[in-house]
Amino acid sequence: MAKFICNFISYSLRRTVDITVIVPTPTIPEISRAAQAGAPCAHTPRAPYPVLYLLHGMGNNHATWNGYSNIELYAEERQIAVVCPSGENKGYIPNGPDDFFQFIAEELPDFVCGMFPISRRPEDTFLAGLSMGGYGALKCALSAPKRYAGCAAFSAAIEIEPLIASASGRMARELQAILGPERKIPPEADPYALLNRRKGAQLPRFFVTCGEQDALYQENVRFVKALEERGADVRFEHWEGDHRWEVWDKSVEMALEEFFPAGKK
């Protein structure tokens, strides 16, 4: 795999942003086999790669998924690209001049598909995230379902209103910075409101995981039920665990097995 750390000027955020992009390259075993067969190796793919846009949680950045999980290995096994943007602590929603939803849903694919051999086709495009990023992945998929073939949410923070009501101190200030002085969730940022606008046939596939000891477990159970009631194609996996990287590393591997069942080399 090749890993690129990119810094570029975002036209939607009007400042520079950081992303990590992983794309397949020939491995040493592949190079050795090609040499034994007298066949050439090349860095030009036969077709653009399918892609997973992978969103981080609060307090993390574009490098965190690579640092705490085996995503590079999992991507290499399935010959897919992975794009990890920095979403800061902005909740992947419009926030004053910072519209991270537009950045993730529109500008980021525009940039990476223009710069790398990455497919623009909806059937090749998948989205996933953990915690705050799980919320962001659900919001993007429910807002623009025709852009994605699948969406995975790991320990997603879905029910924002109770969080707002109970927040105090620094958390309250962070939520006010994201949502404004009134700390209200607009309908276009509420996963339930977005889901209620759709029918199952209009939705991508969903893969949801959560540790059973996670404080967010019950709200994930409730949202999976809501997806099922709307006729969505959803798979829910849960096991013993908390809000931890052991859960999320296992989750992203399972999600790739779900979305790319025949792709593992």
Side-chain angles (χ1 to χ4, degrees):
M1 300 292 282
K3 181 167 65 176
F4 300 87
I5 310 300
C6 303
N7 178 271
F8 68 98
I9 296 174
S10 162
Y11 55 70
S12 57
L13 299 175
R14 303 179 71 83
R15 66 172 185 274
T16 58
V17 293
D18 296 315
I19 66 172
T20 296
V21 181
I22 305 168
V23 293
T25 57
T27 65
I28 293 299
E30 290 170 339
I31 294 169
S32 298
R33 288 193 296 268
Q36 290 173 357
C41 280
H43 287 294
T44 303
R46 290 188 294 271
Y49 293 111
V51 60
L52 175 71
Y53 293 94
L54 189 56
L55 309 184
H56 64 74
M58 181 169 283
N60 298 160
N61 63 20
H62 67 100
T64 310
W65 268 106
N66 279 270
Y68 282 86
S69 78
N70 289 311
I71 184 59
E72 192 169 344
L73 171 63
Y74 304 148
E76 180 180 79
E77 290 175 334
R78 293 161 181 85
Q79 291 292 283
I80 66 167
V82 178
V83 178
C84 300
S86 279
E88 302 177 15
N89 282 353
K90 301 298 179 65
Y92 303 105
I93 63 175
N95 174 29
D98 291 340
D99 190 343
F100 272 93
F101 171 71
Q102 181 188 3
F103 174 69
I104 299 296
E106 299 177 9
E107 183 178 359
L108 185 60
D110 179 31
F111 177 80
V112 298
C113 295
M115 295 289 180
F116 297 93
I118 291 176
S119 177
R120 297 178 183 270
R121 302 192 311 165
E123 56 265 40
D124 292 333
T125 304
F126 298 82
L127 184 66
L130 70 88
S131 195
M132 181 185 79
Y135 161 81
L138 290 171
K139 181 182 182 298
C140 288
L142 292 168
S143 298
K146 292 183 179 180
R147 295 181 184 173
Y148 307 101
C151 172
F154 316 134
S155 310
I158 301 168
E159 297 177 2
I160 309 300
E161 292 289 355
L163 177 63
I164 293 172
S166 63
S168 61
R170 180 168 182 170
M171 177 59 75
R173 292 192 296 273
E174 288 180 346
L175 288 171
Q176 182 170 329
I178 295 171
L179 300 170
E182 300 298 321
R183 293 194 295 173
K184 295 292 186 182
I185 297 293
E188 61 272 18
D190 181 353
Y192 281 96
L194 292 169
L195 177 59
N196 288 335
R197 299 175 185 175
R198 310 293 181 186
K199 296 181 180 179
Q202 300 173 320
L203 296 170
R205 296 159 58 196
F206 289 92
F207 182 80
V208 180
T209 70
C210 195
E212 293 167 351
Q213 283 70 49
D214 195 316
L216 301 175
Y217 177 68
Q218 290 300 329
E219 63 188 76
N220 277 263
V221 170
R222 288 188 288 269
F223 194 70
V224 166
K225 183 178 179 181
L227 285 168
E228 292 172 339
E229 290 174 349
R230 297 299 292 180
D233 180 354
V234 56
R235 175 182 168 193
F236 182 38
E237 295 289 341
H238 52 93
W239 57 90
E240 185 174 343
D242 206 333
H243 208 69
R244 300 175 63 87
W245 275 101
E246 292 88 345
V247 172
W248 303 324
D249 181 55
K250 180 178 178 180
S251 294
V252 74
E253 183 178 25
M254 293 175 68
L256 293 183
E257 289 173 351
E258 176 76 8
F259 294 149
F260 305 96
K264 188 172 181 178
K265 300 196 315 182

